[in-house]
Amino acid sequence: MDVGLINGLPGHPLFVHGAVVLVPLTVLALLLCALWPAAARRFGWVLPALGLLTLVLVVLTTESGEWLEERVRETALVEKHADMGSDLTPWVIALFVLTVAVWLIGHAGARRERERSSVPGSPPQGGVSTAVRLASSVPARVVALVLALVVAFGAVIDAYRIGDSGAKAAWHGRFSTSESSRR
């Protein structure tokens, strides 16, 4: 798939803007759902879908960046940015995995609550499995939260660093700090 050009222009800047929005948005959604189980139940399948969309967008950004690198003048700033470009992918893979895990934990917690709230005296509708109990346990939620915090920090810091290096590569020496006399 050629992600280099969109409507005759390089696709990389378009994908970058999407990634700059989606990485922190996905991080915030993940942390909210990891901290607050009720939020995970309300988000439902949207959380892992957001994680997947973010992953796909970051991969498209990286691929289009590699395409663009071959078509711009080589500078030290471009090389630095290109070298950093693929560093975000492992963080976003982990982000996606954690969105799925937190969604599953929230789903297991909801199932466990439904089982507990069944009407007393009515016949049980099947016991809660050991896997559901384990997945919705406090230790599992704490582990998911700690991992989410680590991955969130890594993903946001790396996205910032890569974006900063890209902005420097694109804009260094290409503008004036004073207003233009042309009007």
Side-chain angles (χ1 to χ4, degrees):
M1 175 166 78
D2 185 16
V3 295
L5 289 176
I6 297 176
N7 201 24
L9 296 171
H12 186 66
L14 176 65
F15 294 130
V16 164
H17 284 88
V20 164
V21 170
L22 280 182
V23 169
L25 182 65
T26 304
V27 161
L28 287 174
L30 173 64
L31 292 176
L32 177 68
C33 291
L35 280 169
W36 189 23
R41 290 189 290 278
R42 286 189 180 249
F43 267 73
W45 59 266
V46 173
L47 182 63
L50 187 60
L52 180 61
L53 179 61
T54 303
L55 175 59
V56 168
L57 192 57
V58 166
V59 169
L60 288 173
T61 302
T62 303
E63 292 295 316
S64 64
E66 289 172 0
W67 180 91
L68 186 59
E69 179 190 12
E70 299 299 320
R71 289 158 178 84
V72 297
R73 187 172 51 98
E74 187 174 326
T75 67
L77 292 173
V78 169
E79 283 302 310
K80 179 181 177 186
H81 176 64
D83 289 344
M84 295 171 72
S86 60
D87 293 350
L88 185 58
T89 304
W91 289 111
V92 179
I93 290 169
L95 189 64
F96 169 63
V97 169
L98 282 167
T99 61
V100 172
V102 167
W103 172 71
L104 288 172
I105 289 169
H107 187 70
R111 181 172 174 203
R112 189 174 185 179
E113 284 181 19
R114 279 194 306 272
E115 292 294 326
R116 279 193 206 156
S117 66
S118 63
V119 180
S122 66
Q125 299 181 1
V128 178
S129 73
T130 303
V132 169
R133 278 194 307 275
L134 181 61
S136 62
S137 69
V138 172
R141 290 184 21 228
V142 168
V143 168
L145 176 60
V146 169
L147 289 173
L149 286 167
V150 169
V151 169
F153 183 78
V156 168
I157 294 299
D158 217 26
Y160 171 80
R161 289 177 56 244
I162 294 166
D164 182 61
S165 74
K168 286 176 181 169
W171 290 101
H172 182 74
R174 295 195 176 146
F175 68 97
S176 172
T177 56
S178 59
E179 288 187 32
S180 172
S181 61
R182 296 181 294 159
R183 292 233 170 174

